[in-house]
Amino acid sequence: MIRSTITQQDLQDQDKMSTIVNELFDQVADLVKESKQWSLIYRHGEITTRKNKSNSYIQRSSRHTADQVTYDQLRSLLHLNHSLNETKYIKQLTDAILLQKVNAEADLVRLSFKTPAPCSNREFVELVATREHNRSFMVVSQPAEYHSVKKGHVRGAYKAWELVNEIENEKGEKIVEWTCIQHSSAGGLIPRFISDLFAARDFHHDVKCIINYIQENK
């Protein structure tokens, strides 16, 4: 079970939230470096999925040439209005609602997902923050407390750290290196091992959905 460490009181304290957001961004580089040593569990073309077996964190990593997707294309979808854009390429996501503009980098959002019967639909209330430096941007997500659960839904939670870099390959061409680390809990009565199994198995789909959406909407 993933518990929310960001309280409603925290969300009203600008100094506290600035500290929390900075700490989350500070974690990205170390997590990305560490995750490259985790066990490889899946490979789908250029997309690899790894797992830290000690804590069920999963990582996906991929590199993409400009004919697949560019840095600017990913930036427009993932860095700008990250959560609100997710409804464009995630079919199961029925709602993405901005609950609070926390600061210039971070939003509090509620994401509602349609899940197959007999499971209840899921919702996630997350602090989502983005930051860019040169040709690199980060997206971090952490569960936050929120007083009500949407009718007909069960509250889940996830933590995520995402890094997108524009780099040069051995041919001197600009390519995108894209890494995401995630730890999630579906909540409700779904056993943890089943939730972890499906999360790892399907993690690569995020990349394909995003690239397909970008290519179809050029």
Side-chain angles (χ1 to χ4, degrees):
M1 180 68 179
I2 299 174
R3 300 193 179 277
S4 303
T5 57
I6 300 171
T7 68
Q8 286 286 297
Q9 185 175 359
D10 292 337
L11 290 164
Q12 306 309 315
D13 185 331
Q14 287 291 310
D15 291 337
K16 180 72 174 290
M17 289 312 303
S18 292
T19 299
I20 289 172
V21 169
N22 285 331
E23 288 175 349
L24 291 172
F25 284 128
D26 287 344
Q27 295 168 3
V28 174
D30 287 341
L31 271 172
V32 168
K33 181 179 180 180
E34 176 192 328
S35 67
K36 292 179 180 179
Q37 307 304 316
W38 296 350
S39 299
L40 178 66
I41 55 174
Y42 295 111
R43 184 184 296 276
H44 298 88
E46 73 279 0
I47 309 166
T48 59
T49 303
R50 298 178 181 274
K51 183 175 182 180
N52 184 336
K53 295 183 179 179
S54 66
N55 58 18
S56 298
Y57 280 42
I58 54 176
Q59 179 248 55
R60 62 165 169 76
S61 182
S62 54
R63 289 186 173 187
H64 305 277
T65 54
D67 61 316
Q68 295 175 306
V69 70
T70 67
Y71 177 87
D72 289 322
Q73 288 171 330
L74 285 178
R75 181 184 184 277
S76 68
L77 200 62
L78 302 181
H79 174 66
L80 304 175
N81 299 316
H82 175 88
S83 298
L84 301 185
N85 279 335
E86 288 186 299
T87 57
K88 297 176 180 178
Y89 56 84
I90 301 176
K91 291 181 179 180
Q92 299 88 349
L93 181 58
T94 57
D95 279 313
I97 298 173
L98 176 63
L99 299 174
Q100 179 184 336
K101 188 72 178 175
V102 177
N103 59 33
E105 294 181 311
D107 295 329
L108 182 69
V109 297
R110 174 155 62 189
L111 306 171
S112 303
F113 288 83
K114 178 75 173 176
T115 55
C119 295
S120 299
N121 294 331
R122 287 318 193 255
E123 74 158 22
F124 300 83
V125 175
E126 298 280 326
L127 177 80
V128 180
T130 62
R131 179 178 290 177
E132 184 176 35
H133 179 68
N134 295 329
R135 301 291 283 178
S136 175
F137 70 83
M138 299 178 286
V139 184
V140 293
S141 304
Q142 293 286 299
E145 288 182 357
Y146 195 66
H147 51 79
S148 63
V149 177
K150 190 175 180 179
K151 185 177 180 180
H153 289 65
V154 170
R155 177 75 53 81
Y158 69 90
K159 301 178 179 181
W161 301 260
E162 194 160 9
L163 177 64
V164 177
N165 287 321
E166 184 179 71
I167 62 174
E168 285 191 0
N169 64 13
E170 62 278 2
K171 298 178 182 178
E173 300 168 332
K174 301 286 188 183
I175 65 170
V176 171
E177 185 177 56
W178 184 7
T179 304
C180 184
I181 296 148
Q182 190 178 93
H183 182 45
S184 62
S185 171
L189 300 177
I190 298 177
R192 181 58 183 272
F193 77 93
I194 293 179
S195 175
D196 289 346
L197 175 67
F198 280 94
R201 188 196 68 179
D202 296 338
F203 203 15
H204 71 285
H205 288 315
D206 293 350
V207 175
K208 295 181 179 180
C209 288
I210 290 168
I211 291 178
N212 286 344
Y213 173 82
I214 288 172
Q215 291 181 343
E216 290 169 2
N217 291 273
K218 287 182 179 178

Tab-separated table of all heavy atoms in Angstrom, residues 93-151:
chain	number	residue	atom	x	y	z
A	93	LEU	N	-8.557	6.585	-19.333
A	93	LEU	CA	-8.631	7.785	-18.501
A	93	LEU	C	-9.859	8.603	-18.905
A	93	LEU	O	-9.908	9.175	-19.984
A	93	LEU	CB	-7.357	8.615	-18.659
A	93	LEU	CG	-7.259	9.900	-17.827
A	93	LEU	CD1	-7.382	9.606	-16.344
A	93	LEU	CD2	-5.949	10.620	-18.118
A	94	THR	N	-10.845	8.647	-18.023
A	94	THR	CA	-12.103	9.323	-18.356
A	94	THR	C	-12.110	10.791	-17.952
A	94	THR	O	-12.841	11.591	-18.535
A	94	THR	CB	-13.284	8.613	-17.670
A	94	THR	OG1	-13.061	8.565	-16.248
A	94	THR	CG2	-13.425	7.191	-18.201
A	95	ASP	N	-11.316	11.149	-16.940
A	95	ASP	CA	-11.277	12.533	-16.464
A	95	ASP	C	-9.890	12.871	-15.950
A	95	ASP	O	-9.242	12.044	-15.298
A	95	ASP	CB	-12.265	12.756	-15.308
A	95	ASP	CG	-13.684	12.980	-15.782
A	95	ASP	OD1	-13.879	13.777	-16.706
A	95	ASP	OD2	-14.589	12.344	-15.218
A	96	ALA	N	-9.465	14.091	-16.212
A	96	ALA	CA	-8.264	14.652	-15.593
A	96	ALA	C	-8.642	16.060	-15.153
A	96	ALA	O	-8.848	16.946	-15.982
A	96	ALA	CB	-7.098	14.677	-16.570
A	97	ILE	N	-8.778	16.247	-13.850
A	97	ILE	CA	-9.307	17.496	-13.315
A	97	ILE	C	-8.242	18.198	-12.480
A	97	ILE	O	-7.629	17.587	-11.592
A	97	ILE	CB	-10.558	17.235	-12.456
A	97	ILE	CG1	-11.655	16.611	-13.323
A	97	ILE	CG2	-11.057	18.518	-11.812
A	97	ILE	CD1	-12.865	16.164	-12.544
A	98	LEU	N	-8.023	19.465	-12.775
A	98	LEU	CA	-7.112	20.280	-11.981
A	98	LEU	C	-7.823	20.694	-10.695
A	98	LEU	O	-8.821	21.409	-10.731
A	98	LEU	CB	-6.685	21.514	-12.776
A	98	LEU	CG	-5.797	22.527	-12.047
A	98	LEU	CD1	-4.462	21.908	-11.667
A	98	LEU	CD2	-5.591	23.775	-12.905
A	99	LEU	N	-7.304	20.229	-9.561
A	99	LEU	CA	-7.894	20.554	-8.265
A	99	LEU	C	-7.272	21.800	-7.648
A	99	LEU	O	-7.949	22.555	-6.951
A	99	LEU	CB	-7.721	19.378	-7.297
A	99	LEU	CG	-8.380	18.055	-7.701
A	99	LEU	CD1	-7.997	16.960	-6.717
A	99	LEU	CD2	-9.893	18.207	-7.769
A	100	GLN	N	-5.972	21.985	-7.899
A	100	GLN	CA	-5.277	23.131	-7.304
A	100	GLN	C	-4.015	23.431	-8.089
A	100	GLN	O	-3.270	22.515	-8.455
A	100	GLN	CB	-4.914	22.825	-5.844
A	100	GLN	CG	-4.168	23.954	-5.135
A	100	GLN	CD	-3.752	23.559	-3.728
A	100	GLN	OE1	-4.355	22.678	-3.116
A	100	GLN	NE2	-2.729	24.208	-3.203
A	101	LYS	N	-3.792	24.705	-8.352
A	101	LYS	CA	-2.513	25.156	-8.907
A	101	LYS	C	-1.597	25.410	-7.718
A	101	LYS	O	-1.725	26.415	-7.017
A	101	LYS	CB	-2.713	26.431	-9.729
A	101	LYS	CG	-1.491	26.873	-10.499
A	101	LYS	CD	-1.219	25.954	-11.669
A	101	LYS	CE	-0.020	26.424	-12.477
A	101	LYS	NZ	0.326	25.467	-13.548
A	102	VAL	N	-0.685	24.477	-7.465
A	102	VAL	CA	0.121	24.532	-6.245
A	102	VAL	C	1.178	25.624	-6.335
A	102	VAL	O	1.331	26.444	-5.436
A	102	VAL	CB	0.766	23.162	-5.970
A	102	VAL	CG1	1.677	23.220	-4.743
A	102	VAL	CG2	-0.318	22.103	-5.775
A	103	ASN	N	1.932	25.628	-7.424
A	103	ASN	CA	2.890	26.702	-7.699
A	103	ASN	C	3.192	26.693	-9.196
A	103	ASN	O	2.490	26.025	-9.963
A	103	ASN	CB	4.162	26.582	-6.837
A	103	ASN	CG	4.910	25.275	-7.043
A	103	ASN	OD1	4.923	24.712	-8.141
A	103	ASN	ND2	5.553	24.786	-5.991
A	104	ALA	N	4.213	27.413	-9.611
A	104	ALA	CA	4.491	27.546	-11.044
A	104	ALA	C	4.857	26.219	-11.699
A	104	ALA	O	4.699	26.053	-12.917
A	104	ALA	CB	5.613	28.558	-11.263
A	105	GLU	N	5.340	25.264	-10.905
A	105	GLU	CA	5.782	23.984	-11.463
A	105	GLU	C	4.836	22.828	-11.170
A	105	GLU	O	4.907	21.794	-11.841
A	105	GLU	CB	7.168	23.622	-10.911
A	105	GLU	CG	8.279	24.557	-11.345
A	105	GLU	CD	9.625	24.139	-10.797
A	105	GLU	OE1	9.713	23.884	-9.574
A	105	GLU	OE2	10.586	24.061	-11.578
A	106	ALA	N	3.977	22.965	-10.180
A	106	ALA	CA	3.229	21.809	-9.678
A	106	ALA	C	1.724	22.048	-9.639
A	106	ALA	O	1.256	23.142	-9.318
A	106	ALA	CB	3.723	21.442	-8.284
A	107	ASP	N	0.980	20.979	-9.951
A	107	ASP	CA	-0.480	20.977	-9.879
A	107	ASP	C	-0.941	19.807	-9.023
A	107	ASP	O	-0.276	18.766	-8.952
A	107	ASP	CB	-1.105	20.808	-11.270
A	107	ASP	CG	-0.818	21.960	-12.203
A	107	ASP	OD1	-0.675	23.100	-11.714
A	107	ASP	OD2	-0.732	21.723	-13.422
A	108	LEU	N	-2.107	19.968	-8.415
A	108	LEU	CA	-2.798	18.855	-7.784
A	108	LEU	C	-3.916	18.440	-8.731
A	108	LEU	O	-4.760	19.259	-9.101
A	108	LEU	CB	-3.379	19.270	-6.431
A	108	LEU	CG	-4.093	18.158	-5.648
A	108	LEU	CD1	-3.089	17.124	-5.154
A	108	LEU	CD2	-4.896	18.737	-4.485
A	109	VAL	N	-3.913	17.170	-9.141
A	109	VAL	CA	-4.881	16.714	-10.138
A	109	VAL	C	-5.576	15.439	-9.662
A	109	VAL	O	-5.031	14.671	-8.870
A	109	VAL	CB	-4.212	16.446	-11.508
A	109	VAL	CG1	-3.629	17.725	-12.083
A	109	VAL	CG2	-3.144	15.372	-11.395
A	110	ARG	N	-6.802	15.253	-10.169
A	110	ARG	CA	-7.517	13.996	-9.935
A	110	ARG	C	-7.699	13.301	-11.281
A	110	ARG	O	-8.255	13.872	-12.218
A	110	ARG	CB	-8.872	14.231	-9.285
A	110	ARG	CG	-9.672	12.926	-9.171
A	110	ARG	CD	-10.690	12.932	-8.058
A	110	ARG	NE	-11.705	13.947	-8.229
A	110	ARG	CZ	-12.609	14.244	-7.283
A	110	ARG	NH1	-12.579	13.626	-6.115
A	110	ARG	NH2	-13.516	15.157	-7.502
A	111	LEU	N	-7.229	12.060	-11.354
A	111	LEU	CA	-7.309	11.264	-12.572
A	111	LEU	C	-8.271	10.106	-12.331
A	111	LEU	O	-8.115	9.348	-11.373
A	111	LEU	CB	-5.930	10.718	-12.942
A	111	LEU	CG	-4.808	11.759	-13.064
A	111	LEU	CD1	-3.461	11.074	-13.221
A	111	LEU	CD2	-5.067	12.698	-14.227
A	112	SER	N	-9.266	9.965	-13.197
A	112	SER	CA	-10.277	8.914	-13.053
A	112	SER	C	-10.154	7.927	-14.203
A	112	SER	O	-10.112	8.327	-15.371
A	112	SER	CB	-11.684	9.519	-13.048
A	112	SER	OG	-11.823	10.482	-12.026
A	113	PHE	N	-10.109	6.632	-13.851
A	113	PHE	CA	-9.905	5.580	-14.842
A	113	PHE	C	-11.072	4.604	-14.856
A	113	PHE	O	-11.573	4.209	-13.807
A	113	PHE	CB	-8.625	4.794	-14.536
A	113	PHE	CG	-7.359	5.546	-14.805
A	113	PHE	CD1	-6.853	6.431	-13.865
A	113	PHE	CD2	-6.672	5.372	-15.991
A	113	PHE	CE1	-5.676	7.131	-14.102
A	113	PHE	CE2	-5.499	6.057	-16.243
A	113	PHE	CZ	-5.004	6.945	-15.297
A	114	LYS	N	-11.466	4.213	-16.058
A	114	LYS	CA	-12.449	3.156	-16.249
A	114	LYS	C	-11.726	1.822	-16.231
A	114	LYS	O	-10.761	1.614	-16.970
A	114	LYS	CB	-13.160	3.341	-17.594
A	114	LYS	CG	-14.182	2.276	-17.936
A	114	LYS	CD	-15.452	2.445	-17.145
A	114	LYS	CE	-16.530	1.477	-17.619
A	114	LYS	NZ	-17.747	1.572	-16.780
A	115	THR	N	-12.170	0.907	-15.372
A	115	THR	CA	-11.542	-0.411	-15.291
A	115	THR	C	-12.570	-1.491	-15.607
A	115	THR	O	-13.768	-1.310	-15.370
A	115	THR	CB	-10.951	-0.658	-13.892
A	115	THR	OG1	-11.973	-0.471	-12.909
A	115	THR	CG2	-9.815	0.310	-13.607
A	116	PRO	N	-12.113	-2.616	-16.148
A	116	PRO	CA	-13.046	-3.678	-16.542
A	116	PRO	C	-13.784	-4.260	-15.335
A	116	PRO	O	-13.222	-4.384	-14.245
A	116	PRO	CB	-12.134	-4.731	-17.185
A	116	PRO	CG	-10.858	-4.026	-17.492
A	116	PRO	CD	-10.720	-2.950	-16.478
A	117	ALA	N	-15.046	-4.619	-15.538
A	117	ALA	CA	-15.811	-5.312	-14.500
A	117	ALA	C	-15.145	-6.664	-14.228
A	117	ALA	O	-14.542	-7.248	-15.128
A	117	ALA	CB	-17.249	-5.496	-14.969
A	118	PRO	N	-15.201	-7.155	-12.989
A	118	PRO	CA	-15.988	-6.655	-11.857
A	118	PRO	C	-15.246	-5.635	-10.992
A	118	PRO	O	-15.720	-5.287	-9.918
A	118	PRO	CB	-16.253	-7.932	-11.060
A	118	PRO	CG	-15.002	-8.739	-11.261
A	118	PRO	CD	-14.570	-8.463	-12.681
A	119	CYS	N	-14.079	-5.167	-11.429
A	119	CYS	CA	-13.310	-4.212	-10.627
A	119	CYS	C	-13.995	-2.846	-10.618
A	119	CYS	O	-14.611	-2.436	-11.600
A	119	CYS	CB	-11.897	-4.070	-11.180
A	119	CYS	SG	-10.915	-5.571	-11.074
A	120	SER	N	-13.871	-2.146	-9.502
A	120	SER	CA	-14.370	-0.774	-9.424
A	120	SER	C	-13.446	0.150	-10.205
A	120	SER	O	-12.253	-0.125	-10.360
A	120	SER	CB	-14.428	-0.316	-7.961
A	120	SER	OG	-15.299	-1.126	-7.204
A	121	ASN	N	-14.007	1.244	-10.700
A	121	ASN	CA	-13.181	2.252	-11.347
A	121	ASN	C	-12.185	2.820	-10.339
A	121	ASN	O	-12.413	2.786	-9.129
A	121	ASN	CB	-14.054	3.365	-11.922
A	121	ASN	CG	-14.932	2.870	-13.057
A	121	ASN	OD1	-14.570	1.939	-13.769
A	121	ASN	ND2	-16.090	3.480	-13.225
A	122	ARG	N	-11.094	3.351	-10.852
A	122	ARG	CA	-10.033	3.864	-9.996
A	122	ARG	C	-9.866	5.368	-10.166
A	122	ARG	O	-10.086	5.910	-11.254
A	122	ARG	CB	-8.696	3.181	-10.319
A	122	ARG	CG	-8.526	1.726	-9.862
A	122	ARG	CD	-9.038	1.483	-8.516
A	122	ARG	NE	-8.663	0.234	-7.890
A	122	ARG	CZ	-9.479	-0.807	-7.746
A	122	ARG	NH1	-10.691	-0.782	-8.255
A	122	ARG	NH2	-9.100	-1.871	-7.069
A	123	GLU	N	-9.462	6.027	-9.077
A	123	GLU	CA	-9.070	7.426	-9.156
A	123	GLU	C	-7.749	7.608	-8.421
A	123	GLU	O	-7.425	6.862	-7.490
A	123	GLU	CB	-10.137	8.349	-8.564
A	123	GLU	CG	-10.222	8.332	-7.055
A	123	GLU	CD	-10.865	9.595	-6.493
A	123	GLU	OE1	-11.598	10.274	-7.224
A	123	GLU	OE2	-10.628	9.892	-5.302
A	124	PHE	N	-6.993	8.595	-8.881
A	124	PHE	CA	-5.707	8.929	-8.287
A	124	PHE	C	-5.666	10.437	-8.087
A	124	PHE	O	-5.963	11.194	-9.016
A	124	PHE	CB	-4.554	8.505	-9.204
A	124	PHE	CG	-4.512	7.027	-9.484
A	124	PHE	CD1	-5.308	6.473	-10.477
A	124	PHE	CD2	-3.684	6.191	-8.756
A	124	PHE	CE1	-5.286	5.111	-10.740
A	124	PHE	CE2	-3.648	4.823	-9.007
A	124	PHE	CZ	-4.450	4.286	-10.003
A	125	VAL	N	-5.326	10.866	-6.884
A	125	VAL	CA	-5.119	12.290	-6.616
A	125	VAL	C	-3.624	12.483	-6.429
A	125	VAL	O	-3.026	11.944	-5.487
A	125	VAL	CB	-5.903	12.762	-5.382
A	125	VAL	CG1	-5.567	14.214	-5.062
A	125	VAL	CG2	-7.407	12.605	-5.624
A	126	GLU	N	-3.028	13.239	-7.348
A	126	GLU	CA	-1.574	13.303	-7.434
A	126	GLU	C	-1.063	14.738	-7.510
A	126	GLU	O	-1.687	15.603	-8.141
A	126	GLU	CB	-1.094	12.558	-8.689
A	126	GLU	CG	-1.418	11.074	-8.714
A	126	GLU	CD	-0.459	10.241	-7.880
A	126	GLU	OE1	0.734	10.601	-7.811
A	126	GLU	OE2	-0.900	9.236	-7.307
A	127	LEU	N	0.070	14.952	-6.864
A	127	LEU	CA	0.851	16.156	-7.106
A	127	LEU	C	1.730	15.865	-8.314
A	127	LEU	O	2.519	14.917	-8.293
A	127	LEU	CB	1.727	16.487	-5.899
A	127	LEU	CG	2.647	17.701	-6.092
A	127	LEU	CD1	1.862	18.992	-5.890
A	127	LEU	CD2	3.838	17.647	-5.146
A	128	VAL	N	1.577	16.648	-9.367
A	128	VAL	CA	2.346	16.444	-10.600
A	128	VAL	C	3.127	17.718	-10.896
A	128	VAL	O	2.546	18.809	-10.983
A	128	VAL	CB	1.426	16.100	-11.784
A	128	VAL	CG1	2.253	15.888	-13.048
A	128	VAL	CG2	0.605	14.851	-11.479
A	129	ALA	N	4.442	17.578	-11.038
A	129	ALA	CA	5.296	18.746	-11.267
A	129	ALA	C	6.218	18.499	-12.453
A	129	ALA	O	6.647	17.367	-12.693
A	129	ALA	CB	6.126	19.053	-10.019
A	130	THR	N	6.508	19.552	-13.194
A	130	THR	CA	7.411	19.458	-14.342
A	130	THR	C	8.472	20.549	-14.251
A	130	THR	O	8.223	21.641	-13.741
A	130	THR	CB	6.650	19.605	-15.676
A	130	THR	OG1	6.026	20.901	-15.733
A	130	THR	CG2	5.587	18.530	-15.827
A	131	ARG	N	9.657	20.215	-14.761
A	131	ARG	CA	10.765	21.183	-14.765
A	131	ARG	C	11.646	20.902	-15.976
A	131	ARG	O	11.906	19.740	-16.304
A	131	ARG	CB	11.577	21.073	-13.480
A	131	ARG	CG	12.775	22.024	-13.415
A	131	ARG	CD	13.509	21.897	-12.087
A	131	ARG	NE	12.702	22.433	-10.982
A	131	ARG	CZ	13.085	22.397	-9.704
A	131	ARG	NH1	14.245	21.830	-9.372
A	131	ARG	NH2	12.314	22.913	-8.760
A	132	GLU	N	12.118	21.969	-16.618
A	132	GLU	CA	12.958	21.828	-17.813
A	132	GLU	C	14.259	22.587	-17.637
A	132	GLU	O	14.285	23.683	-17.066
A	132	GLU	CB	12.216	22.359	-19.047
A	132	GLU	CG	12.974	22.169	-20.354
A	132	GLU	CD	12.164	22.620	-21.559
A	132	GLU	OE1	11.404	23.605	-21.426
A	132	GLU	OE2	12.293	22.001	-22.624
A	133	HIS	N	15.342	21.993	-18.139
A	133	HIS	CA	16.648	22.658	-18.167
A	133	HIS	C	17.326	22.286	-19.472
A	133	HIS	O	17.562	21.101	-19.746
A	133	HIS	CB	17.513	22.231	-16.979
A	133	HIS	CG	18.870	22.862	-16.972
A	133	HIS	ND1	19.066	24.212	-16.763
A	133	HIS	CD2	20.102	22.323	-17.178
A	133	HIS	CE1	20.355	24.478	-16.824
A	133	HIS	NE2	21.009	23.353	-17.080
A	134	ASN	N	17.643	23.310	-20.262
A	134	ASN	CA	18.210	23.088	-21.590
A	134	ASN	C	17.304	22.128	-22.367
A	134	ASN	O	16.095	22.326	-22.413
A	134	ASN	CB	19.648	22.588	-21.480
A	134	ASN	CG	20.565	23.635	-20.871
A	134	ASN	OD1	20.350	24.834	-21.032
A	134	ASN	ND2	21.588	23.196	-20.160
A	135	ARG	N	17.858	21.074	-22.933
A	135	ARG	CA	17.045	20.131	-23.713
A	135	ARG	C	16.796	18.870	-22.890
A	135	ARG	O	17.070	17.739	-23.306
A	135	ARG	CB	17.737	19.807	-25.036
A	135	ARG	CG	17.985	21.011	-25.910
A	135	ARG	CD	16.699	21.591	-26.457
A	135	ARG	NE	16.180	20.799	-27.575
A	135	ARG	CZ	15.041	21.078	-28.199
A	135	ARG	NH1	14.281	22.090	-27.793
A	135	ARG	NH2	14.639	20.329	-29.221
A	136	SER	N	16.244	19.091	-21.714
A	136	SER	CA	15.935	17.996	-20.801
A	136	SER	C	14.784	18.434	-19.910
A	136	SER	O	14.768	19.567	-19.424
A	136	SER	CB	17.163	17.664	-19.947
A	136	SER	OG	16.859	16.684	-18.981
A	137	PHE	N	13.807	17.553	-19.712
A	137	PHE	CA	12.746	17.885	-18.763
A	137	PHE	C	12.400	16.678	-17.900
A	137	PHE	O	12.640	15.525	-18.270
A	137	PHE	CB	11.501	18.449	-19.458
A	137	PHE	CG	10.701	17.482	-20.290
A	137	PHE	CD1	9.762	16.635	-19.714
A	137	PHE	CD2	10.861	17.445	-21.669
A	137	PHE	CE1	9.008	15.769	-20.487
A	137	PHE	CE2	10.112	16.583	-22.456
A	137	PHE	CZ	9.183	15.737	-21.861
A	138	MET	N	11.861	16.989	-16.726
A	138	MET	CA	11.471	15.978	-15.749
A	138	MET	C	9.993	16.138	-15.415
A	138	MET	O	9.460	17.248	-15.425
A	138	MET	CB	12.290	16.128	-14.462
A	138	MET	CG	13.783	15.964	-14.627
A	138	MET	SD	14.680	16.230	-13.053
A	138	MET	CE	14.559	18.025	-12.900
A	139	VAL	N	9.370	15.013	-15.113
A	139	VAL	CA	7.998	14.998	-14.600
A	139	VAL	C	7.992	14.110	-13.364
A	139	VAL	O	8.451	12.968	-13.420
A	139	VAL	CB	6.996	14.434	-15.631
A	139	VAL	CG1	5.572	14.536	-15.085
A	139	VAL	CG2	7.116	15.142	-16.969
A	140	VAL	N	7.503	14.631	-12.253
A	140	VAL	CA	7.413	13.831	-11.027
A	140	VAL	C	5.966	13.827	-10.547
A	140	VAL	O	5.248	14.823	-10.677
A	140	VAL	CB	8.347	14.364	-9.919
A	140	VAL	CG1	9.803	14.182	-10.317
A	140	VAL	CG2	8.070	15.829	-9.606
A	141	SER	N	5.545	12.691	-10.010
A	141	SER	CA	4.181	12.537	-9.497
A	141	SER	C	4.233	11.847	-8.146
A	141	SER	O	4.950	10.855	-7.981
A	141	SER	CB	3.331	11.697	-10.459
A	141	SER	OG	3.326	12.248	-11.758
A	142	GLN	N	3.455	12.370	-7.202
A	142	GLN	CA	3.383	11.779	-5.867
A	142	GLN	C	1.946	11.858	-5.367
A	142	GLN	O	1.255	12.862	-5.584
A	142	GLN	CB	4.285	12.532	-4.888
A	142	GLN	CG	5.769	12.407	-5.182
A	142	GLN	CD	6.326	11.048	-4.829
A	142	GLN	OE1	6.295	10.633	-3.676
A	142	GLN	NE2	6.854	10.350	-5.827
A	143	PRO	N	1.463	10.815	-4.677
A	143	PRO	CA	0.088	10.848	-4.174
A	143	PRO	C	-0.081	11.892	-3.074
A	143	PRO	O	0.826	12.120	-2.274
A	143	PRO	CB	-0.123	9.430	-3.632
A	143	PRO	CG	1.249	8.931	-3.316
A	143	PRO	CD	2.157	9.565	-4.325
A	144	ALA	N	-1.240	12.511	-3.072
A	144	ALA	CA	-1.541	13.535	-2.073
A	144	ALA	C	-2.889	13.242	-1.425
A	144	ALA	O	-3.770	12.626	-2.036
A	144	ALA	CB	-1.565	14.920	-2.721
A	145	GLU	N	-3.033	13.672	-0.193
A	145	GLU	CA	-4.307	13.511	0.505
A	145	GLU	C	-5.385	14.361	-0.162
A	145	GLU	O	-5.120	15.464	-0.642
A	145	GLU	CB	-4.170	13.947	1.968
A	145	GLU	CG	-3.373	12.994	2.827
A	145	GLU	CD	-3.328	13.458	4.276
A	145	GLU	OE1	-3.878	14.546	4.569
A	145	GLU	OE2	-2.737	12.748	5.104
A	146	TYR	N	-6.592	13.819	-0.171
A	146	TYR	CA	-7.738	14.590	-0.651
A	146	TYR	C	-8.967	14.052	0.052
A	146	TYR	O	-9.102	12.836	0.245
A	146	TYR	CB	-7.874	14.481	-2.168
A	146	TYR	CG	-8.805	15.515	-2.761
A	146	TYR	CD1	-8.480	16.866	-2.722
A	146	TYR	CD2	-10.011	15.138	-3.330
A	146	TYR	CE1	-9.330	17.821	-3.253
A	146	TYR	CE2	-10.868	16.087	-3.870
A	146	TYR	CZ	-10.525	17.426	-3.829
A	146	TYR	OH	-11.375	18.371	-4.351
A	147	HIS	N	-9.874	14.949	0.415
A	147	HIS	CA	-10.929	14.600	1.369
A	147	HIS	C	-11.997	13.665	0.822
A	147	HIS	O	-12.626	12.938	1.585
A	147	HIS	CB	-11.590	15.876	1.898
A	147	HIS	CG	-12.027	16.821	0.819
A	147	HIS	ND1	-13.176	16.645	0.090
A	147	HIS	CD2	-11.438	17.942	0.323
A	147	HIS	CE1	-13.301	17.624	-0.795
A	147	HIS	NE2	-12.261	18.426	-0.677
A	148	SER	N	-12.253	13.657	-0.471
A	148	SER	CA	-13.365	12.849	-0.978
A	148	SER	C	-12.908	11.931	-2.102
A	148	SER	O	-11.965	12.226	-2.832
A	148	SER	CB	-14.489	13.755	-1.493
A	148	SER	OG	-14.040	14.536	-2.587
A	149	VAL	N	-13.601	10.789	-2.217
A	149	VAL	CA	-13.376	9.848	-3.311
A	149	VAL	C	-14.569	9.941	-4.252
A	149	VAL	O	-15.722	9.958	-3.812
A	149	VAL	CB	-13.221	8.404	-2.792
A	149	VAL	CG1	-13.049	7.429	-3.952
A	149	VAL	CG2	-12.045	8.309	-1.829
A	150	LYS	N	-14.293	10.009	-5.529
A	150	LYS	CA	-15.353	10.122	-6.524
A	150	LYS	C	-16.299	8.924	-6.434
A	150	LYS	O	-15.864	7.782	-6.260
A	150	LYS	CB	-14.722	10.202	-7.921
A	150	LYS	CG	-15.678	10.550	-9.032
A	150	LYS	CD	-14.908	10.723	-10.336
A	150	LYS	CE	-15.840	11.084	-11.479
A	150	LYS	NZ	-15.089	11.266	-12.747
A	151	LYS	N	-17.592	9.178	-6.554
A	151	LYS	CA	-18.598	8.124	-6.448
A	151	LYS	C	-18.328	7.016	-7.465
A	151	LYS	O	-18.070	7.278	-8.637
A	151	LYS	CB	-19.991	8.711	-6.681
A	151	LYS	CG	-21.117	7.706	-6.470
A	151	LYS	CD	-22.476	8.355	-6.643
A	151	LYS	CE	-23.595	7.341	-6.435
A	151	LYS	NZ	-24.942	7.954	-6.604
